[in-house]
Each structure stands twice: as structure tokens, then as C-alpha cells.
Amino acid sequence: MQETPTLPILNIISGSREVAADGQETFVATSTRAAETNRKGKVYVETYGCQMNFSDTEIISSVLIGEGYGTTDNASDADVIFLNTCAIRDNAEQRIHLRLQQLKGLKRRNPKLVIGVLGCMAERMKSALFEKEKIVDLIAGPDAYRSLPQLIELAETGQKAANVFLSLEETYADITPVRREGVSAFLSIMRGCDNMCSFCVVPFTRGRERSRPASSLLDEIKRLSDEGFKEITLLGQNVNSYLDETSTVNFAELMYRASLVNPKMRIRFTTSHPKDISEELIDVMAERPNLCKFIHLPVQSGSSRILAKMNRNHTREHYLEKIAMIKSKLPECALSTDIITGFCSETEADHAETLSLLREVRYDYAFTFIYSERPNTPAAKHFPDDVPSDVKQRRLSEIVAVQRRISDEIHRSLVGKVFEVLIEGNSKRSAEMWMGRTDENRVVVFPKAAQSAQAGDVVRVEIVEATSATLLGKQAL
Ligand code: 5AD
Ligand code: SF4
């Protein structure tokens, strides 16, 4: 990003690629930097949850900088502290309650400090959050970020400030996000979700589905390419139902056009819904080399009975047909998924179907979750959360064990093969090693060779060793 040395520096606490596509509440702090003026005070933002939230934090930064706010990477130095939150599972919210407890000391030392809760948890709890957490001065839902400057001003007068209005139109299309410098950028192409999976709080926290116009997305992709980004991930809760109503560009067409902007730039996407993923998209992915051969396709359960109860609008058989179509057209494509274990009324037979589906599909990776009842969702209203927690736990371990063996086998089968790896930076373990990703989204760690390479370069790497978690390589000629 642009840095202006004479001005203070923006530090938005943000997350790295280790935050999973699926909404895991992993928090990894890194800095975003941009020019800013600090006229109105300093803001500190912490982001939790899915990549969509991380992308939203970049929009929040842009709104605040535009209004003359500065920021800091030091919470104790801030005039305003924002937590951009996730509500997908109860433990995501518990983390925020804990964090708010920790912030009490800062508020005591500086009573003028404004503490705000943004994002999905703010939207879910609305003003009840003010009652539960007395130190919260401001709440803003995912469609309310343009009003943050006014909300801060209101909170500074000592009033509780809230905007949890959900919009039918807001896509923040005209706001250029403040991104941290790097190899890889995220771009929200749509917001909200209309699917109403019975377990899921997202339709209530992020509202109705709406797509950002294709022309503004393609302009931004061009700008990102000019700025030197090497990889872009298109984000949405259900990217397959992307539709620019004015130009009738659908997701397959958007991917096609995105791939032409810079044929050397990798394009990824997440998340897909099995009922909407189209043959047209897979054909476009097969045709265009820079569309990455990796699909995250959440299945949630292997049992059609449970899928119906989850209101997923697909059966096990439909899902497996889609997988067969993908495998026949894109044999090299890697797959990952999300699984919820212990959903209401899940039996041992249902669970066995999930295990058998894992064996049948052979995903590279699965994100596995214990069902967490979310207040006011259809499942919470209509079905008892009746699988005992020790049973949920045991089923989760069985799922993890089966998947680990499959990941391990897939990884071992890659030993001896050579892949084009986009270097993202130093490996976490050693500055002597690079960490990068293959087209199929597999992480590879390899020693820095004598010849100079740098983050952002694509190099050929031969896989020499593999475990279920890591691929170790060496640079090939
Ligand atoms: N309990 C557990 N996991 C959930 N997910 C969504 N809602 C819940 C819930 N109530 C999981 C799904 C989804 C991922 C983002 O989070 O697997 O795909
Ligand atoms: Fe939630 Fe289902 Fe929408 Fe995904 S598709 S965000 S699981 S309602």
C-alpha cells in the first residue's frame, strides 16, 4: 500500500492467509499500512472469523482514513478500539466476551476510550450487547460501516451508538479497501446469503444476497494487478449465485473475465454451494490456466436425511454427482469441505455416512465443526440439540482421523512431482525456508536456493517429503 513517510502510519490489525476459507475463528495478527492523517484520533481494529470479515476490515479502514482518522497497532495507544466479530459458533462469541473483559483495564485508565463491536456478533445481539457488556459504546453491523465516523462522534458524547440496519443494496462497491501489501488480495464480490441453512446464523447477520457490479470488480482486479498482487481470491458466502443484474454477468462469466485481466495472475474463489456450482464454471476453470484448480465445497453431512433437516437443498447423491462432474472435467482439481458433526438427531448411521462420503470424495482437507446451536436459527427453533456432547466429540475425532489418513495419502502421492509454487513469504519455522502455494492451494515449504527468488515469484518445486499437514520441497530446474 501507499506509504507517506511524513504522515503517521496506519496499522489495522488484520489476519493472514492462515485464516481458513470456512470461517474458523483463528486470529492471526498482522499489520496493514497506509497513509493517514490522524486528525480525529487513533483507531485500533482486531478482526476475527472468516475472510469476509478480514476483507470488511479493509473497507472499515478505508472509511475511517477518508474521514481523517489515524490508527495504531497498540490498543493502549488508541482512542477507539473496534473488534470485528464472528457469530458462526458460540465459541467465536465467547472469545469476544473474553477480549472485552481484557479491555476493561484500558477503559478504566482512559474513560474517553470508545469501544466498538462490529460485524456479525453486533448484528446478532443488537442492543442486548450494551446490556451484557457495559464497556461497549458502539455497535455496527456488516452493512453499517459507512456510518462509523458518525457513530464514533456520537459515542464520544457519552451516548451508546448503534447501527445494525441490514441493507438490500450495500456492496461498498465505491470504497477502495486499504489492503496490506503482499502477494495475495481478497475481493468481496457479493454480500449476504439467501440459503437459510437451518443451523446457520449468517442470513440473519449478513442479510440478503446482493452482488457487486462486474465492471467495478474488473476495474479493481486491474488495479490490484497494477499494484503487483499476484493472486486474488473472490469472496462471497455463496459465490456460485453471483449475478450482476444489470449486465447479467454470472459467476462463470465473471471468472472468465477476471482471468483475462492479467493471465499471469492467479484467481481463486470461496465459498461455493453444492446446489449452485455449475458445469459452466468448471468448463471455464478447465479452459483458463490462471483459474486455480481448487474448490472448497462444503458438504456439512454425508447423510441425505440430515442434509434435508439442514435445509441444504441437495442430497448426498446430488453432491456426489457434482464431485464426479468436477473430477471428470478437472482431474487435477483439489477439493476441501466443511463438516458439521452432531447436528440435531444425527444417528450413528448418519455419522457413518459422513465417514463414507469422506472416503469416497477424498478431499485434500476438511474443516470440521461440532454443531453449535445459534439462537433464533430455524434449527434452534424447531429441533432439539439432542446429540450428547461426548458423542459429538467422539464423532469429531473419528472424522478427523479418517480425513487425516486421506490427506496423508494424497500428500504422499505427490512426492516426486513438480509444482509451480507462488512464494508468499518466509516459512513460519525458519527464515531459511520459503512458504508458498501450488495452484491447487497446497502449502509447500522449501529451502531458499542460492539463486535469488522473492515473495511473489512463481518457482518450480519438487515435493520431497510429505505428511498430512505439510509438503516439503526443493527448488527444481
Ligand atoms: N455450528 C457449527 N458449525 C457451523 N457452521 C455454520 N454454522 C454452524 C453452527 N451453527 C460451519 C459450516 C459452515 C462453516 C462456515 O461453519 O460448516 O460451512
Ligand atoms: Fe450459512 Fe448456508 Fe449461507 Fe453458508 S450457504 S452462509 S452455511 S446459510
Side-chain angles (χ1 to χ4, degrees), residues 88 192-203 237-238 271 273 300 312:
I88 199 121
C193 183
D194 284 350
N195 281 318
M196 295 300 286
C197 299
S198 62
F199 52 79
C200 186
V201 78
V202 169
Q237 307 298 338
N238 178 12
T271 292
H273 194 296
Q300 316 297 1
R312 289 287 291 173

Side-chain angles (χ1 to χ4, degrees), residues 22 88-89 199-200 300 338 340 369-372 374:
D22 68 297
I88 199 121
R89 284 171 288 275
F199 52 79
C200 186
Q300 316 297 1
D338 292 344
I340 297 178
F369 310 105
I370 284 181
Y371 172 59
S372 161
R374 308 310 293 127

Side-chain angles (χ1 to χ4, degrees), residues 33-198:
R33 289 171 177 264
E36 45 105 300
T37 65
N38 193 16
R39 247 185 318 114
K40 294 197 176 168
K42 282 183 267 178
V43 184
Y44 169 88
V45 187
E46 259 177 33
T47 311
Y48 296 78
C50 64
Q51 283 163 342
M52 202 74 168
N53 262 11
F54 285 80
S55 168
D56 279 359
T57 290
E58 296 173 342
I59 288 166
I60 292 163
S61 335
S62 181
V63 169
L64 295 172
I65 291 165
E67 284 294 315
Y69 284 94
T71 51
T72 171
D73 61 354
N74 182 356
S76 54
D77 192 32
D79 303 291
V80 179
I81 294 179
F82 283 152
L83 306 183
N84 189 6
T85 61
C86 172
I88 199 121
R89 284 171 288 275
D90 183 58
N91 56 9
E93 292 197 358
Q94 293 316 320
R95 275 182 96 177
I96 300 300
H97 289 301
L98 205 72
R99 186 68 180 121
L100 288 168
Q101 295 304 314
Q102 291 167 353
L103 293 175
K104 276 189 175 157
L106 290 180
K107 183 87 168 177
R108 224 174 292 124
R109 257 177 278 148
N110 172 15
K112 285 194 168 157
L113 175 67
V114 171
I115 295 188
V117 174
L118 316 182
C120 288
M121 188 175 162
E123 190 65 51
R124 192 188 76 71
M125 293 188 70
K126 302 193 169 60
S127 50
L129 194 54
F130 289 136
E131 280 139 45
K132 191 163 164 58
E133 297 286 359
K134 298 282 183 263
I135 68 159
V136 174
D137 307 293
L138 181 162
I139 59 173
D143 289 342
Y145 299 146
R146 284 179 203 268
S147 65
L148 283 174
Q150 293 91 309
L151 293 172
I152 296 173
E153 275 173 28
L154 192 63
E156 280 169 345
T157 68
Q159 298 176 69
K160 298 279 180 194
N163 184 350
V164 288
F165 175 73
L166 283 176
S167 159
L168 294 176
E169 285 104 31
E170 181 62 274
T171 60
Y172 301 111
D174 56 319
I175 294 179
T176 305
V178 175
R179 294 187 167 87
R180 77 196 150 94
E181 252 174 67
V183 171
S184 194
F186 294 96
L187 181 54
S188 296
I189 63 166
M190 61 193 303
R191 301 181 72 83
C193 183
D194 284 350
N195 281 318
M196 295 300 286
C197 299
S198 62

